[in-house]
Amino acid sequence: MKQSLMAAIMTMMSLSTFANQPDSVWVRPDVKNGTRDMQIAYSIDKKHWTHVSCNLFESDYGTWGSEKKLYYPVLSYDGKIYRSVFIPNLKNGQIAVTESEDFALWKPQDYPYISSDSEFQKIVATQENVSKTNIIRIPYSGLENLLNKKMRNDRNGALERDNFIASGANIANRTEPIEATLSVNWDDRKAISPDLMGIFFEDISYAADGGLYAELIQNRDFEYTADDHRDWNAKTAWRLEGNGTTWDIETKAPIHKNNAHYSTLKTITPGAKLINEGWDGITLEKGKKYNLSLFTKGAGAFRVSLVNNGTVVASKTFKATKEWQQQKVVLTTSSSADKAELVIEPIEACNIDLDFISLFPQETFKGHANGLRKDLAEVIADLKPRFVRFPGGCASHGQGIDNIYHWQATVGDLWEREPAMNIWSYHQTRGLGFHEYFQFCEDIGAEPLPVLAAGVPCQNSWKGGAGQQGGIPFEADLKGKPSPYTYMGKPLTMESYLQELLDLIEWANGDAKTSELAKIRAKAGHPKPFNLKYLGIGNEDLIGDVFLKRYRFLIDGIRKAHPEITIVGTVGPFWEGSDYEYGWREAKANNIPIVDEHYYNSISWYFHHRDFYDNYDRNGTKVYLGEWASKGNNVVNALIEASYLTNVERNADVVVMSSYAPLLAKEGHTSWNPDLIYFNNKEVKPTANYYVQRAFGQNSGDEYIYADLQVNGGNDIRERMDYSVVKDSQTGDLIIKVVSLLPKASNIKIQLGEEAMQGYSTTADLTVLSKENEPDRQREWDVNTTRTLTIGSEFTLDVPNYSVSIIRIKKAKK
Ligand code: AHR
């Protein structure tokens, strides 16, 4: 149901329900200590109480699951502002504070530290005491706002339970044919964003190391630690087999301080082997060339082989160098292998140090050294993304302050880069670093959209504190003391962090003849600027005071130094709620050009919110729908995403960018579902959702042309048909998209008009994705084809049930 209609009904309901109510009412917290949700009870006479099962707010403190709790909440009202203080955790010395203007929408929480333990204990005791008798009188309008919020939540809950496939199933039995007419109104058009369709690449689910990054050796530099994963250490993914050799991890004289660990093999009698298992094995293709490189130091000869099930498929002999030196050879494989291993075998008495043992296929995407896995990169490139957001959402703002992503730690020689733990519980080599991300963007014709932390880590981190985990300190707050945080050996303050962001812009766009930073880029093979236009600041953070202070500082600093950069801000992890509302308030007040919205919702949510952007303000801040997906990889998910996208296209004057999330997931290492593309070492498995993204990416436009759809059936039929008409001014092509959520085939008479079609071809490309039945149970489209369609100023399109049809009408060749 349309949002506007629902709003009208709700207003009527609220009027009729709450007319003749008292001016004010008694309210008291009604929560069990140690739970997450702040709820109240109210009373007219202070004697009989009614519980309201709707959260004023939820504790947003600390790690998901284990820490988000509230104790001894106390409410107050000063005649204007409602306030609440609670203890989020009985041991951390912090209190939680929040306030509200209307009793329904509460400000994102702040968690000030209490200066001493005794002071904190006093506050806890006071809160405990006061909370027992905390009854306040508030205007009835406050309660009414909360009850209205409850009604909205209940309505959304009910819509969530509405499965539009099931509720539309009976349409299949109707005997009358479903016929519709789509009339294109050429006089009614508007400019829309040409950059609507993009991708969000996050190093999640082994998307980078072991995934898109083509390195075949796992833990090539012996830098895995228990921080990455509790069972891991510098030897992970390696093992020593056989006798006569000892194997140790050393740190005395590394190649580089950022790559502190290396292996030492001491062999008395040859026969032992140091083996790397790769990423679930090493997959090799017969007759292909592989670049093997490794650093050696010491004395003795050894052999490096690729071995598959006992069969050597390639091998080379090395002699250790006196000092650390990188040796490089090319291996050609004699047979293919699914699960080969890399075997290092001393062939005489040895004492050798080894580090940075790397194996890359020569065939990478676009042939770059230190490049990307070709098949995977090609499937991504086929999406025709106009931009790439990277290097992650949570992976960007990190697991505690120490884990905030620093782009500078990811460029330069590989062994100089600083590896890091990945918030998704594994290791980031940073071999796929900012240079490689920018190069990939250039290779696929996409704008780079790096997103970096707003000076605060992920608010749900378990590392480095609690609450919002604080933020990077400002110099002034340190009062002359050194910052407790460093990266690459340098002290980390907000001032240095801002400089780091400014340095990124210079590194990407500076003149390699004059700028030291740009010289790093040139040395890595890209003398020309990368032409960075966008910079994302923050990722769905809690919009509390700690965040706002840093966010404003960074935005201000970037604006002053680089007014040419378009900043993309953040508005929380959901489509509504405190962070969304306060994030938007900040965006409007601070004129932030674009904000990044995130929502992972059900198919029902998307079905009932296809008008989500219709009411957005056309002026001012625009939207980047940076992370969205409909919680599944069945065809029904892809269908509703297509239907939603036609509506996003209609609103692409406001929504200027969008990206499905997450993009990649390796089978067996998936930390998040659903994803757009699954893969293993051999195969790339695009999902039904992928084909929708690809169809829209390959057929986007920069002008929206309004059209009118008349359907011969009832509303249940009309609301299961969506469409959009766009023009791509670069090619002149006209693109019509029709999405049918109907269980029955239909046909649409498309009226383009004689005049408008002058200069267009009489044939068009018709791409169809369709599913005969059970779209809610199956993951693959039955039909996924493109064919030629004869068209005219008026023509009929046969629309299969559960389908996406895209007609691309080309400009006639002169
Ligand atoms: O896309 C997966 C995660 O979802 C992102 O890291 C984060 O931004 C969001 O919560």
Side-chain angles (χ1 to χ4, degrees):
M1 192 180 308
K2 288 261 177 248
Q3 268 183 318
S4 45
L5 181 57
M6 272 317 293
I9 293 171
M10 278 174 41
T11 312
M12 275 159 47
M13 282 170 73
S14 71
L15 286 178
S16 57
T17 312
F18 303 121
N20 304 322
Q21 297 290 2
D23 287 348
S24 57
V25 62
W26 297 104
V27 160
R28 68 171 193 214
D30 204 14
V31 263
K32 201 164 161 267
N33 282 319
T35 51
R36 186 178 176 193
D37 302 338
M38 173 62 173
Q39 299 193 345
I40 55 132
Y42 70 90
S43 171
I44 304 296
D45 53 13
K46 224 177 170 185
K47 212 164 120 200
H48 304 98
W49 293 88
T50 306
H51 178 83
V52 182
S53 53
C54 172
N55 297 345
L56 273 67
F57 53 82
E58 298 168 346
S59 169
D60 207 358
Y61 175 91
T63 312
W64 278 117
S66 60
E67 274 187 316
K68 296 196 186 294
K69 292 182 178 161
L70 42 83
Y71 295 90
Y72 315 133
V74 172
L75 284 170
S76 63
Y77 178 62
D78 67 5
K80 220 167 153 212
I81 302 286
Y82 304 90
R83 292 200 170 78
S84 180
V85 176
F86 63 93
I87 308 294
N89 179 316
L90 294 172
K91 35 179 215 304
N92 282 358
Q94 282 170 285
I95 60 169
V97 294
T98 175
E99 60 183 49
S100 169
E101 287 159 12
D102 64 1
F103 206 60
L105 175 69
W106 288 74
K107 205 171 160 261
Q109 292 146 32
D110 289 302
Y111 309 106
Y113 275 95
I114 304 306
S115 52
S116 69
D117 189 44
S118 56
E119 191 60 24
F120 177 62
Q121 295 310 334
K122 248 194 252 162
I123 294 180
V124 172
T126 312
Q127 285 282 129
E128 186 177 0
N129 249 332
V130 176
S131 68
K132 282 184 198 145
T133 52
N134 179 214
I135 296 175
I136 59 167
R137 192 140 180 95
I138 66 165
Y140 195 85
S141 60
L143 176 65
E144 198 169 32
N145 290 336
L146 184 68
L147 294 175
N148 278 334
K149 176 172 158 184
K150 175 169 157 40
M151 232 181 332
R152 272 195 310 274
N153 290 352
D154 291 350
R155 179 209 29 138
N156 282 328
L159 293 181
E160 281 292 295
R161 288 186 291 279
D162 165 28
N163 174 338
F164 69 86
I165 295 288
S167 61
N170 67 339
I171 295 171
N173 306 326
R174 299 206 191 149
T175 43
E176 68 278 18
I178 300 174
E179 284 165 352
T181 304
L182 182 73
S183 328
V184 181
N185 187 352
W186 290 93
D187 298 330
D188 199 0
R189 40 170 88 191
K190 64 178 173 186
I192 56 170
S193 168
D195 297 327
L196 180 63
M197 300 303 295
I199 56 171
F200 164 43
F201 178 91
E202 168 154 33
D203 187 2
I204 182 172
S205 304
Y206 282 42
D209 294 299
L212 185 60
Y213 184 49
E215 173 64 81
L216 294 168
I217 304 301
Q218 188 178 180
N219 193 14
R220 64 184 175 188
D221 50 6
F222 308 99
E223 296 301 329
Y224 275 25
T225 72
D227 264 0
D228 301 322
H229 194 286
R230 67 173 181 276
D231 314 320
W232 288 1
N233 58 47
K235 290 188 169 179
T236 296
W238 295 91
R239 69 181 188 276
L240 185 74
E241 280 183 6
N243 302 317
T245 294
T246 56
W247 168 40
D248 290 302
I249 300 294
E250 284 292 353
T251 53
K252 272 185 239 142
I255 316 172
H256 192 275
K257 64 175 175 22
N258 295 338
N259 179 23
H261 301 82
Y262 56 94
S263 271
T264 294
L265 293 181
K266 290 195 178 85
T267 303
I268 299 167
T269 327
K273 298 167 180 174
L274 180 65
I275 301 170
N276 185 273
E277 64 189 36
W279 304 93
D280 304 328
I282 300 173
T283 302
L284 301 166
E285 259 188 86
K286 182 181 173 182
K288 296 275 162 145
K289 292 194 164 57
Y290 293 83
N291 293 336
L292 171 71
S293 63
L294 71 177
F295 275 85
T296 61
K297 191 171 85 158
F302 61 95
R303 193 167 33 239
V304 181
S305 314
L306 294 170
V307 181
N308 184 39
N309 266 333
T311 306
V312 176
V313 298
S315 179
K316 273 275 175 345
T317 303
F318 293 80
K319 240 187 166 359
T321 47
K322 223 166 133 212
E323 295 304 328
W324 276 125
Q325 199 177 311
Q326 191 180 34
Q327 306 198 45
K328 294 179 180 176
V329 296
V330 175
L331 299 177
T332 305
T333 42
S334 58
S335 58
S336 293
D338 281 355
K339 263 184 169 257
E341 294 185 311
L342 179 117
V343 178
I344 300 175
E345 212 176 343
I347 51 176
E348 60 185 14
C350 289
N351 188 347
I352 33 176
D353 297 336
L354 291 166
D355 204 358
F356 231 87
I357 302 156
S358 163
L359 182 74
F360 266 88
Q362 269 192 0
E363 267 180 37
T364 55
F365 184 61
K366 305 279 181 193
H368 295 294
N370 194 46
L372 307 184
R373 194 175 132 175
K374 190 164 177 276
D375 54 353
L376 210 43
E378 280 171 354
V379 170
I380 297 172
D382 275 353
L383 289 164
K384 239 176 153 244
R386 305 303 191 280
F387 65 88
V388 183
R389 174 179 180 241
F390 59 87
C394 294
S396 236
H397 60 181
Q399 183 71 272
I401 295 179
D402 277 330
N403 191 234
I404 284 177
Y405 196 97
H406 296 284
W407 75 271
Q408 272 173 337
T410 77
V411 295
D413 284 334
L414 294 176
W415 45 93
E416 290 182 5
R417 302 184 185 186
E418 198 170 62
M421 73 176 278
N422 185 312
I423 196 166
W424 301 105
S425 292
Y426 56 98
H427 179 89
Q428 302 176 67
T429 64
R430 304 285 175 71
L432 173 49
F434 262 43
H435 190 94
E436 292 73 25
Y437 283 122
F438 274 75
Q439 184 61 59
F440 183 49
C441 291
E442 187 173 278
D443 288 344
I444 62 176
E447 296 291 348
L449 167 52
V451 54
L452 293 168
V456 294
C458 177
Q459 68 270 31
N460 306 310
S461 303
W462 53 263
K463 245 197 139 189
Q468 202 187 22
Q469 281 69 40
I472 298 174
F474 283 91
E475 275 166 17
D477 298 336
L478 289 167
K479 302 199 174 77
K481 287 205 202 108
S483 171
Y485 305 102
T486 57
Y487 85 98
M488 294 181 91
K490 295 181 274 185
L492 179 63
T493 62
M494 276 311 291
E495 288 76 6
S496 74
Y497 187 66
L498 168 62
Q499 189 55 50
E500 197 188 324
L501 302 195
L502 300 179
D503 286 352
L504 169 64
I505 300 166
E506 188 179 328
W507 168 83
N509 293 351
D511 181 344
K513 286 196 208 89
T514 51
S515 153
E516 290 308 313
L517 283 158
K519 279 180 193 160
I520 302 176
R521 186 194 71 225
K523 187 175 162 231
H526 204 283
K528 280 203 200 128
F530 275 125
N531 199 11
L532 172 68
K533 298 192 184 100
Y534 300 101
L535 188 56
I537 305 290
N539 174 62
E540 57 178 55
D541 302 280
L542 187 153
I543 315 286
D545 290 348
V546 172
F547 164 84
L548 280 174
K549 190 171 167 198
R550 287 159 179 79
Y551 185 57
R552 289 175 186 154
F553 174 77
L554 295 174
I555 291 178
D556 231 42
I558 293 162
R559 271 188 179 152
K560 277 189 194 124
H562 289 285
E564 76 283 8
I565 294 290
T566 301
I567 288 167
V568 181
T570 183
V571 292
F574 304 115
W575 62 281
E576 60 168 4
S578 295
D579 296 320
Y580 173 87
E581 295 292 344
Y582 280 84
W584 265 103
R585 283 185 194 186
E586 178 62 19
K588 297 218 163 185
N590 199 6
N591 256 328
I592 298 174
I594 304 176
V595 289
D596 179 9
E597 291 190 351
H598 294 180
Y599 43 83
Y600 298 91
N601 292 336
S602 66
I603 54 164
S604 299
W605 187 92
Y606 286 103
F607 184 69
H608 290 288
H609 290 86
R610 282 172 288 171
D611 55 358
F612 189 66
Y613 291 109
D614 290 359
N615 300 332
Y616 268 52
D617 185 0
R618 263 47 207 170
N619 303 308
T621 304
K622 306 280 184 202
V623 177
Y624 163 35
L625 175 50
E627 294 185 27
W628 75 288
S630 70
K631 289 191 177 165
N633 288 123
N634 284 329
V635 167
V636 67
N637 299 96
L639 268 174
I640 197 63
E641 285 160 12
S643 145
Y644 196 70
L645 271 175
T646 58
N647 292 283
V648 171
E649 276 187 322
R650 189 180 67 251
N651 284 292
D653 48 335
V654 169
V655 186
V656 292
M657 296 170 162
S658 73
S659 47
Y660 182 99
L663 178 69
L664 294 181
K666 187 167 195 174
E667 288 176 341
H669 303 280
T670 302
S671 357
W672 186 287
N673 276 306
D675 302 278
L676 199 63
I677 303 165
Y678 290 85
F679 64 93
N680 55 38
N681 283 350
K682 272 186 86 170
E683 290 164 289
V684 179
K685 303 178 176 179
T687 57
N689 321 60
Y690 167 90
Y691 291 107
V692 164
Q693 292 287 324
R694 189 179 75 170
F696 277 72
Q698 293 182 350
N699 294 289
S700 59
D702 52 9
E703 196 176 13
Y704 185 86
I705 303 163
Y706 284 92
D708 183 45
L709 184 74
Q710 297 295 331
V711 181
N712 70 341
N715 284 343
D716 54 347
I717 291 181
R718 176 63 190 85
E719 69 176 357
R720 285 173 173 75
M721 293 183 102
D722 264 307
Y723 63 91
S724 72
V725 183
V726 300
K727 190 175 169 181
D728 171 22
S729 66
Q730 263 191 4
T731 55
D733 295 356
L734 186 69
I735 301 143
I736 303 171
K737 303 185 181 84
V738 174
V739 180
S740 169
L741 307 175
L742 291 163
K744 184 175 155 84
S746 55
N747 65 65
I748 300 187
K749 193 194 293 167
I750 297 184
Q751 296 177 328
L752 293 168
E754 209 57 70
E755 225 175 286
M757 287 319 291
Q758 305 273 331
Y760 278 92
S761 165
T762 51
T763 58
D765 289 342
L766 171 65
T767 301
V768 179
L769 303 170
S770 73
K771 181 89 206 148
E772 181 69 21
N773 50 43
E774 299 206 312
D776 46 350
R777 287 180 194 203
Q778 290 172 27
R779 298 168 83 92
E780 314 244 323
W781 295 103
D782 291 340
V783 172
N784 184 350
T785 54
T786 299
R787 63 182 168 85
T788 303
L789 178 76
T790 304
I791 58 147
S793 54
E794 182 171 307
F795 63 98
T796 300
L797 176 72
D798 293 324
V799 180
N801 41 328
Y802 303 132
S803 65
V804 181
S805 305
I806 297 183
I807 308 166
R808 186 169 189 115
I809 306 171
K810 298 215 171 113
K811 267 267 178 235
K813 292 208 177 81
K814 288 199 180 127

